[in-house]
Structure formats: structure tokens, C-alpha cells
Amino acid sequence: MVDEMARATLTELEARLIESVRSGTVLDLTGDRPRPSGDEMKSWDSAHDIRAWVIRDLLTGRLLDDPDPRGVRLCGARVLDRMDLRGVTSDVPLDLLDCHLPGGVELRDAKLRDVGIRRCLVEQVVVAVRTIISGQLSFSGSRFNATSHVCLIADGLRVGQDLTLAGLTLDGAARLVGARIGGRLVASGTVARSPGIAIDADGIQIGQDLKLDRNFTANGTVRLVGAQVGGEFDATAGTFTSSSGSALIADGLKVEQSLILGRGFNATGAGAGAVRLTGAHIGGRISAAAATIDNPAGSALIADGLRVDQDLDFGDGFIATGDGEYGAVRLLGAQIAGLLILRSAQLVNTSGPALYADRLQVGQSLLMLAGLDVRGAGGQGALRLYAAQIAGSLMISGSTIHNASGPAISAGQMGVGADMTLQAGLIVTGAVRLWHAHIGGSLNIRKVSLSSISGPALDADGLKVDHDLFLGVELIASGSGDGAVRFVGAKIGDGSLKGTINNPTGTALLCDGMEVANYFYLEDGFNATGSGSHGAVSLLNAHIRGQLGATGAVCLSNQSGPALNAAGMRVELDLLIRAGFAAVGAGEEGVVRFDGTQVRTLDIELDQIRDTSGRPGDLHVDGLEYTGLPEQQSVTEWLAVLAHRTPRYAAQPYRQLAAATQAAGHDGDTRRIMIAQREDQLRRRTITGKSDRIWVRLTGFLLGYGYQPWRALLGLLVVIGASVALSTIVGGHGGLRHTPRAAVPNVSCTMVERVGVGLDLSVPLIRTGARDICTTTATAAGDTVAVAGWILQMAAWAFATLFIAGFTGAVRKT
């Protein structure tokens, strides 16, 4: 019902407003003049004045009972007093354009249809607590500069359609805690200024898009903790700045579609994260192309536990600069269902990790592409992917990863479902750590520079690679300490190594205990330069189920130890070291070590295995086991190697070679090998006792150390011949006479009888009976036969005994 008393008090301008509401027209008090500025609004005279209660009564029907559906539309007015619409319920739209509201607006607990306060100057706080707007609410282009630090209080606000804050200027904070917006919340170009929290929208629910884009500016923290966005969250070209805390806090944020931190997005904060997305869930993708996030006192981006149902793209021009041990960009335990992409981006932290992504889960691939610059510091690593799980591939190419005081990449226990590739101009300063990582495909490292001054360049102890390990051409790895490139205890499918590895203070390539399912090749162009007693390349106790090959222009160098240390290695198929292979080493440990090594086929080219002076280098082969004979050397040549190119005497290499020749049916070679063993033993003076050496030399001369017993038999034949000659010659000159028992006593013995005496004197255990009828005389000749006979008899027994001992192998056992 119309209040006639109220209508009677209306001014002419207020009466015009009522008629405009009746007719559905706009009451425009600006005329043809351009949009008024704030200062112009403040200078308006009474010709622009409308009392606030008039607007209230129009909405409630006290001044007009049949308003046009287009509602109250007022332009260029000054609303006197505070526009108090508390508790008002109305279906009449309200649209104030270019108006001056010095007393502010009170909408607490109101239930209205559409409200627009557009391009207005509001000098007191706007309150919309628990307000319900069934249609749209717009503050676009307005300026709120309340004298208090809060300009807009809208906790619990309900808007059925869009809330538009586009171009709004807030000279204080805005509160939208627990608000519910059925449509979009648009704050494009909005400026909010507050020394603490600029916009507090914790728990806000937005049915469609949230747009903080196109020069949105917040000088103070923007809070969206627990917010829900039914569409897309677009912050392209938005600027978020806070000098006392985080610039954007969106912990627990839920976005049904994508989060766009697009080109021109800029966030500068302090403390625990300039931008916080801890526990957030993004139903689409996150795009941060050309975004800049900076925090001089903490992390730039904290997104621990973040869930992204599609891709996370830190794309072209993304820059994150942070400080401290928690990382410039933190993705601890984050889950990315699609791709994680870092391309032409820059992540910098001068006192901790640049990317801290322990336990990260990526449903597809992690791609770090051309132009990526990652710079971190400290022992945690510049790029941390500890225990990260990547279902697809991990590719790093054309990038720079730098840490002068610790590892560049720390990815221990990381899992990669497909291939891991480091390639195409990647430069890494600091160690790459892949401790106990698991790569489901292949590990490919090519056209890469890896360097570390404080340890290994590539540290992959315990790594598991289901398919190939490929260190390709143009790889340059420089490290220090115990291994420039380490695969200790690693398990791989196949191995193919090229490139250059240098370590001035230790082993270049350290593969102790490595297990290879198939082949392992040092290929054409592989160069390793190391230092120390462990070897330039070490395969100590490695197990290779296929072939081990080193062919083509392969060069291993060590100025203070072995070039190749493969002691205890097991190769189930062939060991192939062929033409082009060169190894230079020094020291007592030899140039190449195969002690305790087991292979099937031994195929080694020895010409280019040399010591540092250029002479043929020593090999350690004590305990080397193989089947068949060495492929590249004859038995004679291999014996020369054992005798002159091994650092010390060992029996096993000779016995191994002898077993091979014996298995091949070459018994003569077998005996020759065992004789060579004894000669080497004597030459190197491993037999220390003088009497023992004499005995060995004697058996060597007389029996060939027990392997040529025919020498003793020959000696026995010589003794027999000498005895027969002595008895026949000297006996024929009065040395022998018939005994009294002879048929014709005291006469010279016949030739046959003298030969029989010679045989009786020299052949053990055999008697002709000649000495029974023929004996020595008491003459000088007889004495000669007697004494010489004793000597020859002892010599005969000695040779016979030696022959039996040599034939039965008794001498060999001594």
C-alpha cells in the first residue's frame, strides 16, 4: 500500500524518480556529460540528491504499488544518508550507475532480486551479510573507500546468478566468507588494497567461473581456503601482492574445470608460500604459462597434496623465485593425472630446492623441455623427485639444472613407468641421484653435460632399469670422489655405453655388483679417465647374463691404477675385447683385472693394453675361469702373457689353461703349460726355501717337474748304457774274471757275460745271473768296475725311482 504521507514529503527529483520507476525508464542526472570522476561526485550540489529512504520505500512498495519490472534505475545521483536495506524483501531490481553513496550500503539479511551498484563512489562500508540476491549482484566499476579497513562485508552472501566485481576498486578489505554464487564471480580488473588480507573468500562456493583476471590487482592477501568453483578459475594477467604473508591462499580449493594462471599472472608474497594450493583439487588442468611467482622469504608456490585431473603446465616464461629449505615450488605428494610440463621456465632458490616434489604422482609423463632453468642450493638438491611415481616417461632436454653446493637432481626411489631420457643439450651442474629408482622402460642419456665438483656426476646405486641403459654420444660426465658415474648394485636389461666420463680423484665408471639381464657393451667412442686403485672402469662382482663387449674406439685410462677392474665379475656368455680397445693403467694392480672372473668365451685383444710408459700392461687373471681356449692368443702366446704380463705368480691361470687344453685333447700342450707354471714359480721366487728350490730345479731338469717322466727313463737308459760299456770295456782288460764256481774258473769273461754284468749293475730288480759266474778282479781295472758299478747302480735306482714318481704324479704334488 502506498504511503501518501511519505509521498507528500518527496522532493521534485525524488518524484521524478518514482515516475521513472513507474515507466521503466532511467533517471539520468548526468545528461550528456562524460562519466563523472570521484572528485566531481563529491562536488555535486543538491540537484543530485536522493534520500536513501526513498529508494528503500520504492523497493518495498510504500511509494509505488505498480513498478515497472525493470525496477529502480538511477544514474548520476547522490544518495543521502546510508542506504539501509536491512531485512528488505523485494522483487524490484535496483541499479545505481555513476552514483555517489557517502553513507555506504546496508544489505544485511535482505532478500532482493537484481542489485547493481555500478561505477559508483561508496564512502562507507558495504554490508551484505546473509543477503540473498535471487538474480545478479554487480559492483562493477565502483570504488569503495570506507574509512574503516574493511570496504565490503558479505559473509554468507547468496547470489542466484552472477556476482560481478569487474573494475571495482576497494580501498580496504573485502569479506566473502561462506558466500554462495550460483553463476560466475567476475573480478576482472578489480583492485583491492589492504595491508593484511585484501579479499577473504574462505569457503565461498561459485557455481560457474571465477575470474580474477585482466589486471585484477590485490595489494594484500587473497584467501580462497576451501573455496569451490564449479567452472574455471581464471587469473590470467592478475597481480597478487602481499608484503606480510601469502599473496594467494587457496588451500583446499576445488575447481571443477581448469585453473589458469595465465600470461601476466604475477604473485609476490612472503612467509610460507606466495601462492598456496595445499590440498587443492583441480578437475581440469593448471596452466601457468608466463606466470611469475616470487617470494624472497619462503616458497613461491606451495601445492602439497594438490590433485590435478588433467595436465599441470608450467609453460613458456613461467618464473618461480623462492627461498629456504622447503623449495621455490613445492609439490609434495601432489597427484597429476595428466602431464607435468616445465618448458622455457625458470625456478630459482638460492638456499634450498628449486622444485621440491617428493612423492609426486604423475599419471602420464613428466616433461622438462627446452629453455628450462632450474637453480637450487644445498644438500636436498635443486630438483627433488624423491619417491616420485611417474606412470609415463620422464624427459629432460635442452635445460639447465644447477646446484653448486649439492645434487642437481635428487630422485632416489623414484618410479618411472616408461623411459627416462636426458638429452639434447641438457647441462647439469651437481650430481644426478637415482638411488634405488625404478625405470620401467629405458634410461637414455645422450648429448648431455653432467658435472659435479663434490661427488659423482651420476649416482644411480641400486637403480633398476627394465630395458636398456644407453649412455650415448656427446655425453660428457665429470665427477669426483668414488665414481663419476655410479651404477653400484644396479639391475638393467641391456647396457650400451658411449660418451666421455672423467674423474681426476677416483673411478670414472663404477658398476660394482651390477646385474645385466642381457648384453653390456662399451661401444665405439666410449672414453673413461679415472684415478686410483679401484680402476678407471670398475665392474667388480658384476653379473652379466649375456655378453660383455668393448669394441671399436674404446679408451680407458688411469695414471695411478687399473684401467679396467672386473675382478669377481661373472659373464654367462662371451667376454669380447677386440680391435680398437685401448687401456692404459699403472701400479701393482695391473692395467686390466680379471681375478676371480667367470666367463664362457675369452676373446681379448691385448695389443693396446699398456702401462703409462707404453710397454705392454699387466693383467690380473688369478681366478679367471673360461671354457675353451682364449680366442685371440695361441697357447704359447697366452703362456707368455701369464709369465710376463701378470703382476705376480698364481697357479690358477695355468691350471685353467691346462684344463682347457686337456678338454680339447691337447695333452702335449697341457704338460707344456704345467711345466711353464713351475718355471714361472721359480723365476718369481715364490718357492722360498733353498732346498725346496734345489729340489724343484732338479725335478724340473730330470722329470720336467713330473710332467715329462721320460727324462728319468732316458737317464736310466744312459746309466744302463754306461754300465754295459764299463763292464765290457774295462772288464775285457782284466777287470772281470770267472768265479771259482764257473765251469772254467779264473779266465776272462765272455762278451755276453760282461754285458750281463753291466745290466745287473744298472737295471733295478732285474738279474741276468752273469755276476754269479763273473766277478771283479783284485786289480786296478777290477776296482774301477766295482766302484763305478756301485755309483751306476745308485744312479739307476735314482732314475728308476724318479721315473715312477713322475709317472704316477707324486713329484707334481710336491
Side-chain angles (χ1 to χ4, degrees):
M1 180 181 292
V2 175
D3 188 338
E4 295 297 336
M5 294 181 62
R7 287 179 64 96
T9 63
L10 295 176
T11 65
E12 180 184 354
L13 181 58
E14 292 168 347
R16 289 173 57 194
L17 173 61
I18 292 174
E19 290 304 314
S20 71
V21 174
R22 186 193 307 277
S23 63
T25 59
V26 177
L27 178 58
D28 188 353
L29 304 180
T30 61
D32 295 331
R33 289 172 295 178
R35 175 185 176 185
S37 67
D39 290 339
E40 288 177 308
M41 290 180 181
K42 291 179 181 181
S43 65
W44 281 342
D45 56 21
S46 59
H48 293 266
D49 290 348
I50 300 287
R51 288 173 291 179
W53 67 266
V54 175
I55 297 174
R56 176 187 175 93
D57 286 358
L58 277 171
L59 296 177
T60 58
R62 291 184 64 196
L63 294 178
L64 186 66
D65 56 5
D66 58 344
D68 186 270
R70 284 170 285 192
V72 178
R73 294 191 290 170
L74 181 60
C75 179
R78 177 167 60 195
V79 179
L80 300 179
D81 303 319
R82 183 169 180 80
M83 191 167 69
D84 189 353
L85 301 178
R86 281 180 293 179
V88 169
T89 299
S90 175
D91 289 331
V92 179
L94 173 64
D95 187 14
L96 304 180
L97 179 65
D98 291 332
C99 291
H100 182 201
L101 290 84
V105 180
E106 178 67 65
L107 299 172
R108 189 188 306 267
D109 296 320
K111 296 180 180 179
L112 304 173
R113 182 177 166 186
D114 295 323
V115 176
I117 301 176
R118 300 179 296 127
R119 296 182 352 208
C120 297
L121 174 61
V122 183
E123 298 192 82
Q124 293 295 330
V125 64
V126 176
V127 178
V129 175
R130 298 183 301 276
T131 301
I132 300 175
I133 307 295
S134 60
Q136 298 188 21
L137 174 60
S138 175
F139 296 128
S140 62
S142 294
R143 179 164 188 170
F144 295 178
N145 61 352
T147 55
S148 66
H149 71 280
V150 180
C151 291
L152 173 63
I153 303 175
D155 296 349
L157 171 70
R158 303 289 187 268
V159 179
Q161 297 180 25
D162 295 345
L163 171 59
T164 304
L165 308 177
L168 173 64
T169 299
L170 296 165
D171 292 331
R175 289 179 54 90
L176 293 159
V177 175
R180 294 184 181 179
I181 314 300
R184 302 185 304 162
L185 193 163
V186 180
S188 304
T190 294
V191 177
R193 304 183 184 95
S194 176
I197 297 174
I199 298 178
D200 189 350
D202 289 354
I204 192 171
Q205 297 180 30
I206 302 169
Q208 297 180 22
D209 298 338
L210 170 60
K211 299 182 75 63
L212 305 179
D213 62 344
R214 288 184 293 170
N215 299 319
F216 170 88
T217 302
N219 293 322
T221 300
V222 175
R223 291 182 59 93
L224 292 167
V225 175
Q228 298 182 35
V229 180
E232 182 177 85
F233 179 1
D234 187 354
T236 300
T239 299
F240 299 75
T241 305
S242 175
S243 60
S244 59
S246 299
L248 173 61
I249 302 178
D251 296 345
L253 170 70
K254 183 176 180 180
V255 180
E256 293 293 333
Q257 296 181 23
S258 296
L259 170 59
I260 310 298
L261 306 178
R263 295 187 179 278
F265 174 85
N266 191 305
T268 303
V275 174
R276 295 180 56 96
L277 293 169
T278 302
H281 182 191
I282 310 301
R285 66 191 181 98
I286 295 180
S287 175
T292 299
I293 307 176
D294 180 66
N295 187 351
S299 297
L301 171 63
I302 295 180
D304 297 351
L306 171 69
R307 290 175 57 196
V308 182
D309 290 350
Q310 296 181 21
D311 300 340
L312 173 54
D313 185 357
F314 295 116
D316 297 341
F318 174 78
I319 299 174
T321 304
D323 181 73
E325 61 181 340
Y326 297 113
V329 174
R330 281 173 59 94
L331 295 172
L332 293 181
Q335 300 178 42
I336 314 300
L339 300 170
L340 173 55
I341 303 171
L342 293 98
R343 177 184 56 248
S344 295
Q346 186 178 78
L347 282 65
V348 179
N349 186 348
T350 58
S351 59
L355 175 62
Y356 202 152
D358 291 1
R359 303 184 304 281
L360 170 71
Q361 297 182 37
V362 180
Q364 295 183 24
S365 296
L366 171 54
L367 307 176
M368 300 184 182
L369 305 176
L372 175 65
D373 184 6
V374 177
R375 285 175 282 164
Q380 296 189 86
L383 175 61
R384 280 188 61 91
L385 293 167
Y386 180 82
Q389 299 297 317
I390 301 164
S393 299
L394 170 57
M395 177 181 289
I396 308 177
S397 66
S399 303
T400 299
I401 303 175
H402 177 82
N403 186 353
S405 55
I409 301 175
S410 183
Q413 299 188 29
M414 175 181 66
V416 179
D419 296 342
M420 177 175 176
T421 303
L422 308 180
Q423 65 174 4
L426 172 65
I427 299 174
V428 179
T429 304
V432 175
R433 288 182 178 170
L434 298 174
W435 295 337
H436 300 283
H438 181 193
I439 300 172
S442 298
L443 173 58
N444 303 300
I445 305 177
R446 57 180 181 268
K447 296 184 179 180
V448 170
S449 174
L450 309 177
S451 63
S452 174
I453 61 174
S454 59
L458 174 59
D459 195 343
D461 291 356
L463 172 69
K464 183 178 180 182
V465 180
D466 290 352
H467 294 156
D468 298 343
L469 167 64
F470 181 69
L471 303 185
V473 294
E474 298 182 42
L475 165 68
I476 299 176
S478 300
S480 60
D482 194 7
V485 173
R486 294 176 57 101
F487 291 103
V488 175
K491 297 180 179 180
I492 67 173
D494 298 319
S496 176
L497 277 61
K498 297 182 180 180
T500 300
I501 305 176
N502 296 308
N503 187 351
T505 61
T507 301
L509 176 63
L510 186 62
C511 298
D512 294 355
M514 181 173 67
E515 296 184 20
V516 182
N518 296 304
Y519 64 80
F520 189 77
Y521 289 152
L522 305 180
E523 296 201 77
D524 193 4
F526 178 77
N527 291 275
T529 303
S531 176
S533 60
H534 206 73
V537 172
S538 179
L539 292 164
L540 185 68
N541 298 320
H543 183 187
I544 300 169
R545 292 183 172 85
Q547 289 183 335
L548 170 62
T551 60
V554 174
C555 183
L556 314 181
S557 178
N558 186 348
Q559 298 296 309
S560 57
L564 174 62
N565 182 1
M569 178 179 67
R570 182 182 175 191
V571 180
E572 295 189 9
L573 295 180
D574 306 326
L575 173 60
L576 308 175
I577 299 179
R578 291 181 173 170
F581 174 84
V584 177
E588 295 182 356
E589 299 302 318
V591 177
V592 175
R593 295 193 57 171
F594 290 125
D595 36 325
T597 297
Q598 300 177 35
V599 303
R600 187 183 71 173
T601 302
L602 186 64
D603 188 347
I604 306 178
E605 171 62 57
L606 301 175
D607 287 349
Q608 296 303 314
I609 298 178
R610 298 185 174 276
D611 63 21
T612 53
S613 66
R615 294 189 298 269
D618 285 349
L619 285 74
H620 267 266
V621 292
D622 187 12
L624 172 63
E625 297 180 8
Y626 48 88
T627 58
L629 294 169
E631 294 286 336
Q632 295 285 337
Q633 295 82 31
S634 66
V635 170
T636 301
E637 290 170 333
W638 191 247
L639 284 176
V641 170
L642 298 183
H644 304 293
R645 296 186 62 178
T646 55
R648 59 186 65 90
Y649 167 78
Q652 187 276 338
Y654 290 97
R655 297 186 184 277
Q656 170 65 48
L657 182 61
T661 56
Q662 189 172 32
H666 304 317
D667 293 339
D669 284 338
T670 302
R671 289 189 292 271
R672 185 157 58 95
I673 292 165
M674 302 313 295
I675 292 171
Q677 174 194 345
R678 278 297 200 180
E679 291 174 346
D680 192 20
Q681 189 179 26
L682 282 171
R683 184 175 60 256
R684 304 202 199 206
R685 302 185 68 84
T686 59
I687 302 174
T688 56
K690 183 176 181 181
S691 59
D692 291 338
R693 288 199 303 273
I694 292 173
W695 169 248
V696 170
R697 291 184 185 278
L698 180 61
T699 57
F701 176 74
L702 297 177
L703 295 172
Y705 307 106
Y707 299 101
Q708 294 178 330
W710 57 265
R711 294 189 184 187
L713 184 60
L714 181 61
L716 177 59
L717 293 176
V718 170
V719 170
I720 293 172
S723 178
V724 170
L726 173 70
S727 61
T728 54
I729 296 172
V730 179
H733 289 78
L736 291 174
R737 288 269 183 186
H738 279 170
T739 64
R741 290 179 294 175
V744 183
N746 201 26
V747 296
S748 296
C749 298
T750 66
M751 175 63 72
V752 173
E753 290 171 338
R754 294 198 301 272
V755 169
V757 171
L759 293 174
D760 286 345
L761 289 175
S762 59
V763 179
L765 302 178
I766 296 177
R767 293 291 180 266
T768 64
R771 294 187 66 185
D772 293 336
I773 59 175
C774 194
T775 186
T776 57
T777 62
T779 63
D783 292 340
T784 299
V785 172
V787 172
W790 297 336
I791 295 172
L792 291 172
Q793 194 171 34
M794 288 189 292
W797 275 101
F799 279 120
T801 303
L802 286 172
F803 172 75
I804 294 171
F807 188 79
T808 59
V811 170
R812 300 174 215 169
K813 297 176 184 179
T814 60

